[in-house]
Amino acid sequence: MEFQSSKEFALSLDKKDQLAHFQDQYHFPIRNNRKSIYFCGNSLGLQPKQTRTFINNELDNWAQNGVEGHFLEPKPWVRYSDLTKPSLAKLVGAQTNEVVSMNNLTTNLHLMLASFYYPKGKRTKILLEKGAFPSDHYAVASHIKRLGLNPDEHMVTIEPSEGYNFSTDEIINKIADLGEELALVLFPGVQYYSGQYFDMGTISRAAHEIGAYAGFDLAHAMGNLPMSLHKDDVDFATWCSYKYLNAGPGSVSGIFVHEKHSSNPDFPKLTGWWGHALANRFEMNNKFVPADGADAWMLSNLDILPMTAHIAALDLFDQAGIENLREKSIRLTGFLEYLLITDEVLTNRISIISPEDQSARGCQLSVKVEGGKEIFHSLIEAGVILDWREPGVIRLAPTPMYNSFLDVWEFFEILKNIYARQK
């Protein structure tokens, strides 16, 4: 798409945007007596306006029915996780019995590692990217140590041969090199620092070819771009819902377990009462019968109020459609990139470390700026809410569900003016 550097052009794109009306469905923080420019959905998404109504309805249900709310139709709490399955399956490209909402992200990652990391003989190593998000690194290290092994020897990290982004070839070559020593590949769907979107299908096939599993942390991919986990033969994945899915701070996580594993009642897993089949769960005979599919990994009953916020947010994704959001995201991020790299004031002061290839990134552009944190704080003071990540990147996430092309243009003007004041 050919872009132009003008406010009028930004307004023309908004006028053509068939998703523009969703912006009015969200609460924006107010800064400097006006709506903020919110580019931080990769850290915490905005609150949908309908969330309050959804939660109040469940509060009324609790007030009026007490414990009987677990079984009263049309939305009995005992089956509440079923309400998110169709939406989640569409977002990750899965069958409904391969996904379930539960727990939080790192708890679910531990559950997945407990199922998919069983070192045997030479096959003891886990591969992840150098500079992985701390929770992933800590979780992997703890499982290796739990099994009496040394993370320094059995956790293998890989870094790009140059710059900040990997080629798919260097990942699959590393997998092949590790061969029969590799038990598991654990990568993000989208790398939190650079914003790189990984080819999960190719990585999974490479892992399977040498006899290893492949799992993914989708914290920065979920709700950001379409996925096809079932078709790509991914073994497992987990995600959070408080970033692009807009379910609220610390809200519920979810898992995907491919049916080739989740349909096997003997597949290893940590178990709890809520993972028991619902049909005879309340017989209380302590004879575990796994629920169907990914539900067998559930441990306890759900946090209903956070789940309600999750359902309210997913409803808007069902209306918008992830493919439509992805199409807008490419234009929105492309417009931002164009403005940053073609402007005379900015071109020598910023560098984008995210992949140039639009298909290899989501809606995040990670930018190194001259002036670093000083520029970041100036942007915050000017009413732009965004994210700084050490050791030196501003993460810009124009989110297609609620950001506009005018937001991008206004951010660009603010950044230019900040540098102009420094002369």
Side-chain angles (χ1 to χ4, degrees):
M1 181 177 185
E2 294 294 328
F3 294 112
Q4 299 173 25
S5 181
S6 72
K7 181 178 181 179
E8 291 71 25
F9 182 73
L11 290 169
S12 73
L13 292 177
D14 283 330
K15 189 174 182 180
K16 298 174 186 174
D17 177 19
Q18 296 183 352
L19 300 176
H21 63 283
F22 284 101
Q23 190 172 40
D24 294 331
Q25 301 299 313
Y26 291 84
H27 292 291
F28 284 78
I30 301 300
R31 298 291 182 269
N32 304 326
N33 297 315
R34 56 162 290 175
K35 187 184 78 173
S36 63
I37 297 173
Y38 195 85
F39 284 176
C40 212
N42 54 351
S43 187
L44 178 66
L46 294 180
Q47 182 190 129
K49 292 178 180 178
Q50 66 182 24
T51 298
R52 189 180 301 273
T53 300
F54 275 57
I55 290 178
N56 282 341
N57 287 340
E58 286 303 337
L59 287 173
D60 290 343
N61 184 9
W62 177 23
Q64 295 164 13
N65 299 305
V67 70
E68 292 181 324
H70 284 91
F71 302 102
L72 291 176
E73 298 293 345
K75 294 187 293 184
W77 297 332
V78 74
R79 299 202 310 270
Y80 216 59
S81 60
D82 291 349
L83 300 178
T84 64
K85 285 177 177 287
S87 301
L88 296 176
K90 285 184 286 187
L91 289 170
V92 301
Q95 298 178 7
T96 54
N97 67 348
E98 293 176 317
V99 295
V100 66
S101 298
M102 63 183 201
N103 305 322
N104 58 31
L105 174 55
T106 305
T107 300
N108 285 338
L109 180 57
H110 278 295
L111 291 173
M112 295 297 97
L113 288 169
S115 287
F116 288 91
Y117 180 56
Y118 275 82
K120 295 179 182 178
K122 292 182 178 180
R123 197 175 295 282
T124 62
K125 292 187 166 83
I126 300 179
L127 176 66
L128 63 165
E129 90 275 20
K130 188 173 183 179
F133 196 83
S135 277
D136 293 22
H137 188 102
Y138 301 157
V140 168
S142 69
H143 278 265
I144 292 172
K145 288 191 286 188
R146 179 180 63 86
L147 295 167
L149 302 174
N150 185 347
D152 292 338
E153 298 175 12
H154 299 279
M155 181 167 59
V156 180
T157 61
I158 179 176
E159 60 184 325
S161 56
E162 57 182 62
Y164 293 88
N165 301 300
F166 293 88
S167 71
T168 302
D169 283 345
E170 61 189 340
I171 299 171
I172 62 176
N173 288 340
K174 184 66 175 179
I175 291 171
D177 289 344
L178 290 169
E180 62 182 4
E181 295 182 348
L182 185 63
L184 172 66
V185 179
L186 179 65
F187 254 66
V190 170
Q191 216 281 338
Y192 83 95
Y193 190 77
S194 70
Q196 181 178 5
Y197 175 38
F198 291 103
D199 185 341
M200 291 185 276
T202 298
I203 292 170
S204 295
R205 285 190 293 274
H208 296 159
E209 284 174 5
I210 55 91
Y213 289 127
F216 293 88
D217 177 346
L218 304 180
H220 290 85
M222 188 61 159
N224 185 355
L225 28 68
M227 291 174 277
S228 51
L229 300 188
H230 179 86
K231 180 181 177 182
D232 287 342
D233 205 22
V234 169
D235 292 297
F236 72 85
T238 185
W239 56 83
C240 57
S241 65
Y242 51 81
K243 298 182 189 295
Y244 297 109
L245 288 189
N246 312 313
S251 194
V252 66
S253 174
I255 63 168
F256 162 89
V257 181
H258 197 284
E259 68 167 350
K260 65 185 179 183
H261 309 303
S262 61
S263 64
N264 176 5
D266 297 321
F267 197 82
K269 62 181 69 68
L270 299 180
T271 54
W273 186 38
W274 226 248
H276 188 108
L278 180 59
N280 59 352
R281 182 181 301 161
F282 291 88
E283 291 179 5
M284 317 295 279
N285 59 15
N286 287 342
K287 296 179 181 179
F288 185 76
V289 178
D292 180 52
D295 286 14
W297 274 262
M298 297 180 77
L299 300 179
S300 302
N301 55 325
L302 294 164
D303 297 326
I304 295 300
L305 298 182
M307 272 290 289
T308 302
H310 188 25
I311 291 165
L314 287 173
D315 176 66
L316 294 172
F317 276 87
D318 290 340
Q319 294 178 42
I322 190 63
E323 297 288 348
N324 297 327
L325 290 165
R326 175 60 169 164
E327 184 181 343
K328 177 181 174 180
S329 176
I330 290 172
R331 294 197 307 273
L332 201 62
T333 310
F335 184 44
L336 174 60
E337 179 184 37
Y338 170 83
L339 294 173
L340 294 177
I341 67 176
T342 60
D343 183 77
E344 293 181 0
V345 173
L346 299 181
T347 187
N348 295 319
R349 289 182 167 90
I350 67 106
S351 60
I352 299 171
I353 70 168
S354 301
E356 292 183 18
D357 180 0
Q358 294 178 335
S359 67
R361 68 189 189 205
C363 71
Q364 174 180 314
L365 286 186
S366 297
V367 180
K368 288 199 163 188
V369 299
E370 180 183 294
K373 272 193 173 178
E374 180 182 348
I375 298 299
F376 170 75
H377 289 301
S378 295
L379 287 166
I380 295 290
E381 290 172 5
V384 183
I385 299 179
L386 30 66
D387 186 60
W388 172 269
R389 291 287 158 155
E390 298 292 352
V393 157
I394 295 176
R395 301 190 307 166
L396 308 171
T399 304
M401 181 68 90
Y402 48 70
N403 282 128
S404 67
F405 292 92
L406 183 60
D407 290 336
V408 170
W409 168 259
E410 290 182 341
F411 162 77
F412 163 68
E413 286 291 300
I414 290 169
L415 182 58
K416 276 203 309 179
N417 289 335
I418 289 170
Y419 279 118
R421 292 197 300 268
Q422 294 183 338
K423 291 183 179 179

